[in-house]
């Protein structure tokens, strides 16, 4: 493939050109085109699924050492190239360079963790209630898996889906978000050179309504793992149930961060700023609802405003940038529309909320927005009910811990929840009673480890957890075998 050619699809171990390609634009510098990336169609999904189906019998029964070695090699190369790949990620998605490098490192660690899981596969041998019969309980791969990933973590989320799928013997068709094909293509290129047989991993880029729909409806796909919006996720769930596919969904969040009167003020302000505004607020675990008890409320608002004044919004690749651009024009328009909605409903804009006339060193424009803080908001306001997915946070004043917990749980979502307190009593109670899949005590709600389960409850997640050893629940099926002695 020449340097000027569009980056192709990966199907059955070959790079495939298409009749259409789309530019990948840097949101920090709209004049900078990261590259041209091929756009597939339903016929390419058919070819990828056929290749994966053909590769499945050999891969699903392959030696665990070979699988380990391939995944470990992938992880090692990702880690060795973290600076380069982190810069690519920042350039196409808008995270700061440091955040991009951190995400790439996490992707490498995920592959290495699941390389180890290849060697830790286990089952059970149990006695039967009938004399002379042995019972074995084992796990087997489920087949061809369709992976549909979002734009906000273009390396880490593909990694935490691909790595366990391959480790447990499945074959993969990856459909990355069309806003961020560069990171997915780079990851696919590393996988392609890892020694994994042709057809085991396939990359099909293109529009979600074309590629995603074809994957979900394809009879050769046994399971779909999706991370993205609530509306799309619910549609995928319905289609998968109708077609008898296994499905795993990670969707929205409207995560609460509770701050109690006894909290360490500096710590509470820092973790709230980190959770709400860093990575441009484009994290499903971001704490967009700050729920603050009345005793500390005035001091907290004043201190948070002062902290926000120090946030430098700018080019994701520039030294000293704290918050990069919003990922796209459409997302920026959505963020700004919620600022107007909140003001119309009576929220008081205490900081930011405007498009920033921020430019790169060469004077080119990007999708920059000053992080927005609303105070004196009510739980019923749309700003506290609907996911904005941008650098926008609202503060609600409550009387005490009991009201704070009730407000925190008053949402259709349940991904992550945090509390800032020095009270062991309240921290312990919150960990048990917060209606969320992940709970943080005196830590940002955004920021999780790669070796433990990730996921939520209520409208945030559906199906088995992702990451860590719990990933086997989705990527394997259980078999019980009886043998007469």
């Amino acid at each position: 493939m020449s340097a000027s050619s569009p980056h192709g699809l990966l199907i059955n171990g070959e790079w495939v050109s298409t009749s259409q390609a789309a530019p990948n634009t840097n949101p920090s510098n709209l004049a900078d085109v990261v590259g041209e990336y091929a756009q597939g169609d339903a016929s390419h999904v058919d070819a990828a699924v056929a290749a994966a189906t053909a590769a499945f019998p050999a891969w699903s029964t392959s030696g665990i050492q070979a699988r380990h070695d391939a995944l470990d090699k992938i992880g090692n190369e990702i880690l060795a190239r973290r600076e380069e790949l982190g810069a690519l990620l920042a350039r196409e998605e808008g995270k700061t360079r440091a955040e991009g490098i951190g995400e790439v490192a996490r992707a490498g660690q995920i592959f290495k963790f699941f390389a180890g899981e290849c060697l830790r596969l286990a089952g059970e041998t149990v006695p039967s209630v009938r004399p002379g019969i042995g019972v074995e309980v084992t796990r087997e791969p489920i087949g061809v898996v369709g992976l549909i990933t979002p734009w906000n973590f273009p390396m880490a989320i593909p990694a935490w889906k691909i790595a366990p799928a391959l480790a447990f013997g499945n074959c993969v068709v990856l459909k990355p978000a069309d806003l961020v094909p560069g990171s997915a293509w780079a990851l696919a290129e590393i996988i392609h050179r890892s020694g994994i047989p042709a057809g085991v991993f396939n990359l099909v880029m293109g529009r979600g309504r074309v590629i995603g729909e074809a994957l979900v409806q394809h009879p050769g796909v046994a399971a779909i793992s999706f991370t993205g919006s609530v509306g799309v996720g619910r549609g995928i769930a319905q289609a998968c149930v109708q077609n008898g596919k296994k499905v795993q969904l990670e969707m929205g969040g409207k995560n609460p961060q509770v701050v109690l009167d006894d909290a360490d003020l500096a710590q509470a302000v820092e973790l709230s700023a980190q959770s709400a505004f860093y990575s441009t607020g484009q994290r499903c675990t971001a704490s967009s609802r700050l729920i603050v008890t009345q005793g500390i409320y005035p001091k907290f608002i004043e201190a948070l405003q002062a902290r926000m004044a120090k946030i430098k919004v700018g080019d994701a690749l520039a030294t000293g940038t704290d918050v990069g651009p919003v990922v796209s024009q459409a997302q920026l328009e959505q963020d700004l529309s919620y600022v107007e909605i909140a003001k119309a409903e009576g929220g008081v804009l205490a900081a930011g909320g405007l498009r920033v006339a921020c430019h790169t060193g060469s004077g080119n424009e990007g999708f920059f927005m000053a992080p927005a803080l609303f105070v004196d908001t009510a739980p019923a306001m749309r700003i506290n009910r609907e996911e904005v997915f941008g650098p926008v946070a609202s503060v609600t004043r409550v009387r005490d811990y009991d009201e704070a917990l009730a407000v925190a749980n008053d949402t259709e979502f349940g991904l992550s929840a945090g509390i800032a307190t020095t009270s062991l009593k309240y921290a312990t109670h919150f960990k048990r009673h917060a209606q969320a899949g992940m709970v943080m005590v005196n830590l940002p709600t955004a920021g999780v480890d790669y070796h433990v389960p990730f996921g939520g409850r209520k409208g945030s997640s559906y199906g088995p957890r992702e990451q860590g050893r719990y990933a086997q629940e989705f990527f394997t099926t259980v078999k019980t075998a009886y043998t007469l002695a």
Side-chain angles (χ1 to χ4, degrees), residues 186-386:
L187 179 57
E189 197 271 337
I190 292 171
I191 295 172
H192 177 55
R193 292 186 288 96
S194 68
I196 285 177
V200 170
F201 173 82
N202 304 271
L203 171 71
V204 182
M205 299 176 289
R207 301 294 296 174
R209 71 176 68 93
V210 177
I211 307 303
E213 178 71 13
L215 267 178
V216 170
Q217 297 294 341
H218 201 290
V221 174
I224 295 287
S225 179
F226 166 84
T227 299
S229 70
V230 174
V232 174
R234 287 174 177 169
I236 287 174
Q238 292 175 351
C240 287
V241 169
Q242 291 172 352
N243 295 325
K245 298 184 192 299
K246 199 171 185 180
V247 63
Q248 177 185 59
L249 307 175
E250 289 296 339
M251 299 177 287
K254 197 65 184 172
N255 308 296
Q257 173 62 57
V258 171
V259 179
L260 298 185
D261 288 349
D262 65 7
D264 179 306
L265 180 61
Q267 181 184 69
V269 167
E270 185 61 29
L271 66 86
S272 295
Q274 291 282 341
S275 295
F277 305 124
Y278 280 63
S279 294
T280 324
Q282 296 173 156
R283 298 181 285 194
C284 55
T285 51
S287 55
S288 54
R289 293 190 297 141
L290 308 178
I291 302 164
V292 184
T293 50
Q294 57 191 3
I296 200 173
Y297 187 91
K299 293 184 292 184
F300 177 81
I301 297 300
E302 182 181 2
L304 183 55
Q305 287 174 308
R307 176 65 179 85
M308 292 176 66
K310 298 177 181 178
I311 294 175
K312 182 179 178 182
V313 178
D315 189 323
L317 292 172
T319 301
T321 295
D322 298 311
V323 172
V326 175
V327 72
S328 68
Q329 178 69 37
Q331 187 63 46
L332 178 61
E333 291 173 358
Q334 176 174 303
D335 295 347
L336 294 174
S337 73
Y338 270 100
V339 170
E340 296 306 313
I341 289 167
K343 289 194 290 187
E345 290 190 328
V348 178
L349 183 61
L354 298 173
R355 182 167 186 173
V356 180
C358 184
H359 299 272
T360 65
S362 59
N364 295 307
E365 189 177 5
F367 299 125
F368 300 104
M369 175 181 173
L373 179 69
F374 282 92
V375 300
D376 300 337
T377 68
M381 291 179 178
R382 287 179 62 187
I383 198 70
N384 286 319
R385 312 303 300 178
E386 301 171 13

Side-chain angles (χ1 to χ4, degrees), residues 68-78 190 193-195:
H68 165 278
D69 293 349
L71 268 63
D72 193 57
K73 182 178 180 181
I74 294 167
N76 285 336
E77 180 168 346
I78 292 170
I190 292 171
R193 292 186 288 96
S194 68

